[in-house]
Amino acid sequence: MWLNPEEVLLKNALKLWVTERSNDFFLLQRRRGHGEASSGITGLLVGALDSVLDSNARVTPFRILLQFPGSQISWVIASGAAIEEVNKHWDWLVHNLLQSLSVFESKEDVASFVKGKVKGLIAEEVRSRQAAQEDDPEKFREALLKFELHFGLPSSEKLVTYFSCCCWKGRVPRQGFLFLSINHMAFYSFLLGKEVKFVIPWVEVTRLERVSAGLMTEAIRVHTRHRQRDFSMFLNLDEAFRVIGQLADIALRRLLDSEGLELDHVLQQPACITKRILEEQALREFVLALFLLPRSEKLYEVASCSVWTPHARRHTPGFLYTTDSYLCFSSREVESCILLIPLLEVLFIEKAESTSVLPNPVIVSIRTKKAFQLIELQDRDELVENLNTRLRSLQWKQSVFHNRKSSKRSMSSPMPYYTFYYDTGCSDKEELEEQVLRNTVNSEALMTAFHQNQSGDKNKSLECEKEQLWENHFSEFGRGVHMFRTEKIRRLVAMGIPESLRGELWMNLSAASSVMESHQGYYTTMVQKSMGHSSLATEEIERDLHRSLPDHPAFQNPTGIAALRRVLTAYAHRNPKIGYCQSMNILASVLLLYAKEEEAFWLLVAVCERMLPDYFNRRVIGAQVDQSVFEELIRERLPELAENVHDLSTLSSVSLSWFLTLFLSVLPFDSAVCVVDCFFFHGIKAIFQLGLAVLEANAAQLSASTDDGQALMILTSFLDQVRNEEAASPSPSSPDADESSGSDTSISNMGHTNISGLINESYEKFGDLTVRQIERLRCRHRIQVLQSHEDTTKENTLRLIAPDVSISPENLADIYNLFKMEHFISLYWGDRSSAAAAESAAWHHGDLTRSFVERQYRLDRPQFKSLYGLLVPWPSGSEHHTDTLGNRTFTLLDQDHDNLVSFREFAVWLDTLYCGELNEKIRLLYRLHIPPALTESEEDPSLMKSPLLSTNRPLFLNLPPAEEGLERDYQEQLKQMLHDLAKEKEKNVEKPLPLMNQREFIQFCKTLYSLFQSNPEENDLFQAIATVTSLVLQIGEAEHRGRGSAAEDADDQTSTTDSEWRVSFAQILASLLTEQALVSFFEKPPSLQSKIREAREKQYQQRAALLTLQQGGS
């Protein structure tokens, strides 16, 4: 393969290579020990060395060098594992390059020409590999070339796909091509001699929607903060809308997210993203949401097949989805029949004899002595082989795990089950009893010991009848995770799961039982590891323990409180990114009532990490996304209500607690647990449906309401009256009864609403809402929510900084945008280097007490210098001197020595340059020419040799958790914050500046001269600075002589340093004030607005061009 030319100093070092072919410019070499029938001791040693080396370090046995006669320097330009591959490259060089090289006069020209040609070949190979993954490689290759030609972005800006479409400008359509890359969408049109092209970064997209108005057919409208663009006449509008939404969502989660939203590992690597990857990821998200699978599951095969369904006595056609740990089946009629088989339950997967009646059958046998039959499977042999490979791997891991656990158990000495940091000693009998209670993990659900009220004989009878219905269902549809899920089970769930089966069914319906089985002993380990750890999360947990279902007897008792403490603390230790959030205590309390303690832990894991993704963090992003989705569903499903209630955000804010607590905080308890039943069966879809049903039931009153408070009272009053009235539910003996009576039974004679009727009504009217629709809506609305957070962050940052500067709010906002864009540009195209890892590590472990503003976007040295060149008000002569001053300014602003500059520091610096008084500007220039800004050697490589681009990830608003063992007690953090605040006050006290020596003063004068170039008053300014320089030199010389004579009189060796030539800031300032030309120059305020306008126009393309040059020369 062709290689980026790499210099080799000794082309035949240690005689490791043998030259096979050569000419005036190229050598083809073979490594000793390879391709020889017999070789000497050197060849044997080299061959042995190569064979034992790690594959990453192993040297390919053949290579081609670019070389010149008599030169000791060569360049490796190609290598290969086989002689045939390298011979092809050799023949290409001989036939295409060798004759052309003779026309060059110097070796440098030859080297430059060959290296450029080789890099072009490499780029072409990359394009070919990318194009080969597309449906039409030739067309994609052509589109890729157009994209690179028209927009001039660096080669690392990978094109994902493109569409032919029209972009509308008013009533005029422009036909062209829409190019979608990993960081941008770009449009190009050339029609009737007029060229139209523009680039929109994904981070500027605030909303996507489909519209149909005026002359346009249905179009895609892309909103940014400043304007909107309409695109129409797509060949496939649905596909284009989906891909645009996916790319915008991925880019925003990767670049804007500061809370660590879940993003698949593949999508975190932009270079890997292709159109096919996007399609696979969309399908994977759908499968995970439909079957409520763990987010770590990887989707492998998707196959059309039919499954034998005993209850229907026929084969049901549908699709088989296989993941790391599950076999998933869904009927073609979405969600009418679902089957989930954990591979842990599987004993065998084998092929049966194919017949005309049963083509390509596969039998899946499970541990409960049942088997499932799949037929009509295409590529059956390959599928079965892959499944058996994964099954054997999983069984081997489980056997190793069980052996390890059993050996540890036999070696462990008898000790108390748990010891908690909450226990402070056993001073008396009561404390000893409480300690024993806290150290005992409950093996039964709390509801078995604690009942809120004594049920009457009628309710007990109804419970028994429901239990019998479920037993009958189990005998027909199966029991456990792998039971068939059909419309019948949906109706049973809507009636309310009996208390005795609730915990079991929650575990099976959510697949938490299979996850728990594959992690045996995990909960015990988490509880043990969380012992003795005091943190903000544990303090919040302690505060909320007695607020969790305080009216229920289970949590008026130390047993229930201890169990709740253990579950919440163990989860906070398992997932420190979430830790503990309010409403988790309510969910965990309900789970503990109906499930065993360990089961409740795994149900909490399922809810927080799978079923309600991104809900439980400081910004509750997931919940806000679903509120935004809920608003759109209201407009779509309840249009009359949407017309009468102009501000739907009121309804969505009221409904936030519905989603966060699954209605547990707003419904009576007996009714709320029925909602939880539906949630574990249908996921978030059940909450959306029920929310819409609640709003529809109150639509007339809500439409007539006059304010938010009245709307809240209407909904609160309605939900308080929802009862779980068993007598009003559908006949328990006939769950298949006609459900059309649901609306009749939803309102009882007492004026109460029956929860079963309300749930059935929600399924009847809104049951057509699918998981796929919800996932697509979430993808689009996440864009709006993230951008809304970004706007809020910007507003807060500007609000906090504005009092400290004199820059106008409009200009400060524009500067913030430039600052942020500089950060993004480096994230788009920067190399991932070790410097970035060092910066990231310093940020994670060294900045635990930074303020909100300081934890915003920050720039490293290369980023800062780029922005410095765009915004500095005065020209500074040569590029070298501009670079030098940029380095010094960065060093001066980086007061905490973390190699990063915050926006506050940047804004205060700009404020001094553009809005400061004369003495403040001179003071800043003075500080740039004394240490620490001015170093002993400006050529210090540690200062100058840094990457051209920043490579750090977007910085976090709240810091990611420290690694295990590195946690700091939060009380210590508070003390550190107070200490830093005191230091900050001291820092703000203005201290006298050090004296400037002669070398530093010469640098200062050099800078002043450079500031005046191209100024209309250039001659007067040069003359003035010459006068000031002469005056300051005289002052310094006079003081130098005075200190020298004083030192001789004192005859003190330590005074030799004091006798050096030095001047003070006050002396320089006084000298400058004597020249009116200089005073006028520094007092005249530069135009910041025009500078910002120029920077905005130059920043993107200038940086892109610079990056292109860098990548071309690397």
Side-chain angles (χ1 to χ4, degrees):
M1 63 179 176
W2 297 107
L3 302 176
N4 240 337
E6 183 179 346
E7 195 174 273
V8 180
L9 293 178
L10 298 175
K11 61 182 179 183
N12 208 14
L14 301 178
K15 304 293 183 181
L16 298 180
W17 295 90
V18 178
T19 300
E20 296 283 329
R21 303 169 72 175
S22 66
N23 54 44
D24 291 341
F25 296 101
F26 302 108
L27 294 175
L28 191 158
Q29 295 185 329
R30 172 180 52 79
R31 193 164 175 84
R32 288 188 183 275
H34 295 274
E36 296 178 85
S38 61
S39 58
I41 187 65
T42 304
L44 291 174
L45 288 173
V46 173
L49 178 66
D50 289 347
S51 65
V52 299
L53 280 175
D54 179 73
S55 60
N56 293 325
R58 200 171 293 163
V59 179
T60 52
F62 301 96
R63 70 180 185 181
I64 297 176
L65 301 180
L66 168 65
Q67 59 90 39
F68 303 104
S71 174
Q72 289 298 309
I73 298 176
S74 302
W75 291 269
V76 181
I77 59 174
S79 68
I83 187 62
E84 294 80 12
E85 178 186 4
V86 180
N87 276 335
K88 288 181 181 178
H89 292 337
W90 177 270
D91 293 340
W92 189 91
L93 291 169
V94 171
H95 294 133
N96 294 279
L97 280 190
L98 192 58
Q99 294 182 353
S100 304
L101 298 182
S102 59
V103 303
F104 293 100
E105 297 180 355
S106 67
K107 298 176 181 178
E108 290 76 13
D109 292 342
V110 172
S112 177
F113 177 76
V114 173
K115 286 192 279 187
K117 202 70 178 175
V118 170
K119 288 178 181 178
L121 292 171
I122 294 172
E124 182 60 31
E125 284 184 350
V126 171
R127 290 193 192 97
S128 298
R129 283 197 297 271
Q130 184 179 351
Q133 299 175 5
E134 304 299 324
D135 297 331
D136 193 336
E138 289 302 321
K139 284 189 176 180
F140 187 85
R141 187 179 288 107
E142 182 182 346
L144 183 58
L145 291 172
K146 288 180 179 178
F147 176 69
E148 294 175 349
L149 174 67
H150 296 317
F151 301 102
L153 298 175
S155 58
S156 57
E157 182 62 25
K158 181 178 178 181
L159 179 66
V160 177
T161 189
Y162 66 99
F163 296 96
S164 173
C165 66
C166 284
C167 177
W168 290 77
K169 187 176 181 181
R171 293 173 173 267
V172 181
R174 303 285 304 186
Q175 177 62 39
F177 285 93
L178 181 65
F179 300 91
L180 306 179
S181 69
I182 52 177
N183 298 307
H184 305 82
M185 63 184 304
F187 180 78
Y188 181 84
S189 171
F190 187 82
L191 195 63
L192 301 176
K194 186 175 182 181
E195 183 181 62
V196 175
K197 67 177 179 179
F198 55 83
V199 175
I200 303 174
W202 292 124
V203 291
E204 292 298 317
V205 175
T206 57
R207 194 164 86 243
L208 296 172
E209 58 181 341
R210 294 172 70 158
V211 296
S212 181
L215 298 174
M216 286 188 297
T217 55
E218 192 174 15
I220 298 173
R221 178 166 291 169
V222 179
H223 295 261
T224 66
R225 288 183 174 83
H226 306 294
R227 65 177 303 169
Q228 64 186 37
R229 303 272 190 180
D230 292 330
F231 303 93
S232 68
M233 300 186 188
F234 291 90
L235 186 62
N236 189 333
L237 186 90
D238 292 334
E239 180 188 14
F241 191 58
R242 176 180 57 79
V243 174
I244 291 172
Q246 277 186 280
L247 285 171
D249 176 49
I250 291 167
L252 290 176
R253 281 196 280 173
R254 182 167 51 88
L255 299 172
L256 290 188
D257 166 41
S258 56
E259 285 284 339
L261 292 180
E262 294 296 333
L263 187 62
D264 190 79
H265 178 69
V266 174
L267 302 180
Q268 292 174 1
Q269 306 173 38
C272 298
I273 297 176
T274 63
K275 185 179 175 183
R276 186 175 300 171
I277 290 291
L278 293 178
E279 292 170 353
E280 292 173 358
Q281 287 299 314
L283 180 59
R284 175 179 173 273
E285 292 290 331
F286 164 71
V287 171
L288 295 185
L290 179 62
F291 296 96
L292 305 177
L293 300 182
R295 308 295 297 177
S296 58
E297 288 294 306
K298 181 180 178 181
L299 180 64
Y300 288 100
E301 294 94 4
V302 179
S304 174
C305 70
S306 295
V307 170
W308 175 254
T309 47
H311 56 275
R313 300 188 181 280
R314 64 183 177 88
H315 283 93
T316 300
F319 295 95
L320 176 70
Y321 307 95
T322 69
T323 70
D324 293 296
S325 308
Y326 297 91
L327 296 178
C328 315
F329 173 82
S330 175
S331 59
R332 291 188 185 276
E333 187 180 344
V334 180
E335 301 178 31
S336 68
C337 179
I338 286 178
L339 176 64
L340 181 65
I341 307 175
L343 283 180
L344 279 174
E345 297 281 330
V346 174
L347 293 176
F348 306 105
I349 301 175
E350 51 193 353
K351 296 176 286 187
E353 184 179 353
S354 183
T355 66
S356 58
V357 179
L358 301 174
N360 296 332
V362 171
I363 307 299
V364 179
S365 304
I366 60 175
R367 289 187 301 188
T368 55
K369 298 182 180 180
K370 292 186 177 181
F372 298 92
Q373 185 188 72
L374 291 77
I375 64 171
E376 299 174 343
L377 277 163
Q378 294 183 350
D379 301 322
R380 178 183 66 159
D381 295 346
E382 183 181 354
L383 176 65
V384 171
E385 183 180 352
N386 292 339
L387 287 174
N388 277 315
T389 300
R390 289 199 289 277
L391 179 61
R392 286 193 296 269
S393 174
L394 196 63
Q395 290 172 342
W396 178 81
K397 288 178 183 177
Q398 285 297 109
S399 64
V400 171
F401 174 78
H402 286 306
N403 291 338
R404 189 179 301 162
K405 293 293 288 186
S406 60
S407 65
K408 284 185 178 180
R409 196 177 300 117
S410 62
M411 294 172 61
S412 60
S413 57
M415 294 288 289
Y417 194 67
Y418 294 124
T419 303
F420 291 93
Y421 72 91
Y422 314 108
D423 301 320
T424 56
C426 306
S427 57
D428 53 34
K429 184 178 179 180
E430 289 183 1
E431 289 190 4
L432 178 60
E433 290 176 354
E434 185 178 354
Q435 182 181 7
V436 171
L437 180 63
R438 289 185 174 189
N439 293 350
T440 305
V441 170
N442 296 334
S443 59
E444 296 296 333
L446 294 177
M447 189 61 81
T448 59
F450 302 95
H451 291 277
Q452 194 164 14
N453 48 53
Q454 294 297 325
S455 302
D457 293 338
K458 184 177 181 181
N459 283 344
K460 287 182 179 179
S461 173
L462 289 172
E463 281 286 298
C464 291
E465 290 185 29
K466 286 201 294 184
E467 288 174 8
Q468 186 58 50
L469 285 173
W470 277 98
E471 292 297 334
N472 295 338
H473 183 273
F474 292 149
S475 63
E476 185 179 359
F477 292 84
R479 188 166 190 164
V481 180
H482 42 70
M483 65 180 168
F484 288 97
R485 306 178 194 188
T486 64
E487 180 66 17
K488 186 173 181 180
I489 193 174
R490 199 273 297 164
R491 289 195 290 269
L492 282 172
V493 170
M495 289 169 55
I497 299 174
E499 286 186 2
S500 60
L501 296 174
R502 189 163 266 148
E504 176 192 342
L505 285 168
W506 284 359
M507 289 290 289
N508 291 332
L509 293 173
S510 65
S513 58
S514 60
V515 178
M516 184 177 75
E517 186 176 356
S518 64
H519 293 79
Q520 293 182 22
Y522 180 88
Y523 177 63
T524 303
T525 304
M526 284 297 101
V527 174
Q528 290 173 340
K529 285 185 177 181
S530 63
M531 288 187 236
H533 286 275
S534 177
S535 65
L536 189 60
T538 58
E539 289 294 322
E540 290 177 344
I541 290 169
E542 287 297 318
R543 187 172 64 244
D544 287 348
L545 285 176
H546 295 278
R547 304 176 186 174
S548 309
L549 302 184
D551 297 331
H552 199 286
F555 299 101
Q556 297 169 354
N557 186 287
T559 301
I561 295 296
L564 181 59
R565 177 188 291 116
R566 286 192 294 271
V567 169
L568 292 175
T569 306
Y571 184 79
H573 189 80
R574 163 192 166 84
N575 191 344
K577 186 167 66 175
I578 290 177
Y580 171 77
C581 293
Q582 286 188 346
S583 80
M584 285 173 64
N585 59 321
I586 298 174
L587 287 172
S589 301
V590 175
L591 298 177
L592 281 166
L593 288 176
Y594 298 103
K596 299 175 184 177
E597 187 174 317
E598 185 175 5
E599 293 176 343
F601 171 80
W602 286 109
L603 284 170
L604 186 64
V605 170
V607 172
C608 294
E609 298 176 12
R610 293 191 268 131
M611 304 180 75
L612 297 177
D614 305 316
Y615 263 59
F616 299 97
N617 53 40
R618 189 170 59 83
R619 298 189 300 169
V620 289
I621 292 289
Q624 291 185 52
V625 170
D626 282 348
Q627 296 314 293
S628 186
V629 171
F630 193 49
E631 280 188 42
E632 180 163 333
L633 289 175
I634 294 172
R635 293 189 189 92
E636 180 184 326
R637 302 301 182 101
L638 303 173
E640 293 183 6
L641 178 63
E643 287 179 10
N644 293 319
V645 180
H646 300 295
D647 186 9
L648 290 178
S649 61
T650 301
L651 296 180
S652 66
S653 61
V654 169
S655 66
L656 179 61
S657 61
W658 305 355
F659 287 80
L660 279 173
T661 65
L662 308 179
F663 283 89
L664 287 167
S665 63
V666 294
L667 285 174
F669 180 78
D670 289 339
S671 302
V673 291
C674 293
V675 177
V676 179
D677 294 341
C678 296
F679 171 74
F680 278 116
F681 178 62
H682 257 144
I684 196 64
K685 170 186 170 179
I687 308 300
F688 279 117
Q689 290 176 177
L690 187 61
L692 291 170
V694 168
L695 293 182
E696 187 193 44
N698 295 274
Q701 296 180 64
L702 289 172
S703 298
S705 63
T706 56
D707 56 46
D708 299 351
Q710 188 177 355
L712 176 61
M713 289 297 296
I714 292 168
L715 292 173
T716 302
S717 176
F718 175 81
L719 293 170
D720 284 342
Q721 302 303 315
V722 176
R723 295 286 184 265
N724 185 11
E725 299 175 1
E726 300 285 352
S729 63
S731 173
S733 61
S734 179
D736 300 300
D738 184 11
E739 293 184 23
S740 61
S741 60
S743 57
D744 298 329
T745 61
S746 64
I747 305 296
S748 71
N749 296 331
M750 300 290 293
H752 297 307
T753 302
N754 181 35
I755 184 62
S756 295
L758 189 62
I759 289 173
N760 282 323
E761 198 170 316
S762 74
Y763 276 104
E764 286 176 13
K765 295 183 178 180
F766 308 108
D768 58 334
L769 180 65
T770 66
V771 170
R772 193 184 296 272
Q773 289 173 333
I774 292 173
E775 288 305 306
R776 287 181 176 175
L777 286 171
R778 278 176 164 177
C779 179
R780 273 201 297 121
H781 285 272
R782 194 182 294 112
I783 297 169
Q784 294 175 227
V785 171
L786 286 175
Q787 291 288 22
S788 175
H789 275 275
E790 190 70 9
D791 290 340
T792 303
T793 298
K794 177 182 175 180
E795 291 169 7
N796 291 336
T797 303
L798 298 181
R799 178 174 51 80
L800 291 171
I801 292 176
D804 298 337
V805 297
S806 302
I807 299 173
S808 68
E810 296 78 12
N811 286 341
L812 191 61
D814 288 337
I815 293 168
Y816 181 91
N817 293 336
L818 289 169
F819 192 90
K820 184 175 76 170
M821 184 54 67
E822 190 63 39
H823 180 73
F824 285 149
I825 288 173
S826 293
L827 290 178
Y828 294 159
W829 306 309
D831 289 335
R832 304 285 171 187
S833 67
S834 57
E839 286 176 5
S840 179
W843 169 252
H844 287 175
H845 302 299
D847 297 2
L848 295 176
T849 58
R850 286 193 177 273
S851 69
F852 168 80
V853 177
E854 291 173 316
R855 291 203 303 266
Q856 261 307 302
Y857 301 109
R858 299 191 292 166
L859 300 186
D860 61 12
R861 189 180 297 271
Q863 292 170 324
F864 174 83
K865 283 160 60 178
S866 173
L867 207 51
Y868 172 92
L870 291 171
L871 290 176
V872 70
W874 309 303
S876 50
S878 66
E879 290 184 9
H880 175 74
H881 194 62
T882 302
D883 187 73
T884 301
L885 284 181
N887 268 315
R888 291 181 194 165
T889 305
F890 180 87
T891 304
L892 181 65
L893 298 182
D894 180 24
Q895 296 179 7
D896 49 7
H897 308 294
D898 60 354
N899 291 318
L900 294 166
V901 168
S902 69
F903 179 67
R904 176 190 289 278
E905 293 164 337
F906 187 82
V908 170
W909 167 72
L910 270 186
D911 181 62
T912 302
L913 291 182
Y914 283 93
C915 305
E917 300 292 335
L918 178 145
N919 62 326
E920 294 174 342
K921 296 177 183 178
I922 301 302
R923 183 184 180 87
L924 176 60
L925 288 172
Y926 184 92
R927 293 180 65 197
L928 288 177
H929 296 84
I930 58 174
L934 182 69
T935 60
E936 286 296 322
S937 172
E938 290 279 326
E939 285 71 35
D940 182 3
S942 64
L943 177 69
M944 297 300 182
K945 291 188 179 180
S946 56
L948 180 60
L949 295 178
S950 168
T951 54
N952 52 309
R953 287 276 302 153
L955 302 175
F956 293 104
L957 290 178
N958 85 321
L959 298 174
E963 294 177 9
E964 187 177 340
L966 295 177
E967 287 188 13
R968 291 175 55 178
D969 191 281
Y970 81 101
Q971 294 176 343
E972 292 296 323
Q973 296 178 23
L974 291 174
K975 291 178 183 177
Q976 182 65 33
M977 288 175 68
L978 293 173
H979 176 69
D980 288 349
L981 284 172
K983 285 176 63 178
E984 190 67 27
K985 289 181 180 178
E986 294 177 9
K987 192 190 298 182
N988 292 335
V989 177
E990 194 169 293
K991 299 177 181 177
L993 293 172
L995 299 177
M996 180 181 281
N997 64 30
Q998 195 168 32
R999 169 182 172 269
E1000 294 162 353
F1001 179 68
I1002 292 171
Q1003 294 291 329
F1004 179 79
C1005 293
K1006 181 180 177 181
T1007 298
L1008 288 180
Y1009 274 106
S1010 68
L1011 298 183
F1012 308 142
Q1013 293 185 12
S1014 305
N1015 191 287
E1017 308 294 330
E1018 183 177 354
N1019 292 333
D1020 293 341
L1021 290 169
F1022 282 158
Q1023 187 174 355
I1025 195 59
T1027 304
V1028 169
T1029 302
S1030 176
L1031 180 58
V1032 174
L1033 286 171
Q1034 291 173 21
I1035 293 171
E1037 190 62 33
E1039 295 215 2
H1040 172 63
R1041 284 198 299 269
R1043 283 195 298 270
S1045 60
E1048 290 176 6
D1049 294 340
D1051 193 21
D1052 188 350
Q1053 292 182 354
T1054 59
S1055 64
T1056 54
T1057 55
D1058 294 335
S1059 63
E1060 294 180 6
W1061 188 99
R1062 293 183 183 278
V1063 291
S1064 67
F1065 167 70
Q1067 291 168 334
I1068 291 178
L1069 179 61
S1071 303
L1072 286 169
L1073 292 174
T1074 62
E1075 293 295 326
Q1076 185 58 43
L1078 293 176
V1079 173
S1080 300
F1081 175 82
F1082 284 108
E1083 284 188 340
K1084 181 181 179 181
S1087 174
L1088 178 57
Q1089 190 170 359
S1090 61
K1091 202 69 178 178
I1092 290 172
R1093 194 183 308 114
E1094 291 176 14
R1096 202 161 42 218
E1097 293 171 357
K1098 293 179 182 178
Q1099 184 183 31
Y1100 218 73
Q1101 292 302 325
Q1102 179 175 307
R1103 288 284 276 151
L1106 199 62
L1107 290 158
T1108 304
L1109 288 174
Q1110 182 203 13
Q1111 292 173 356
S1114 60

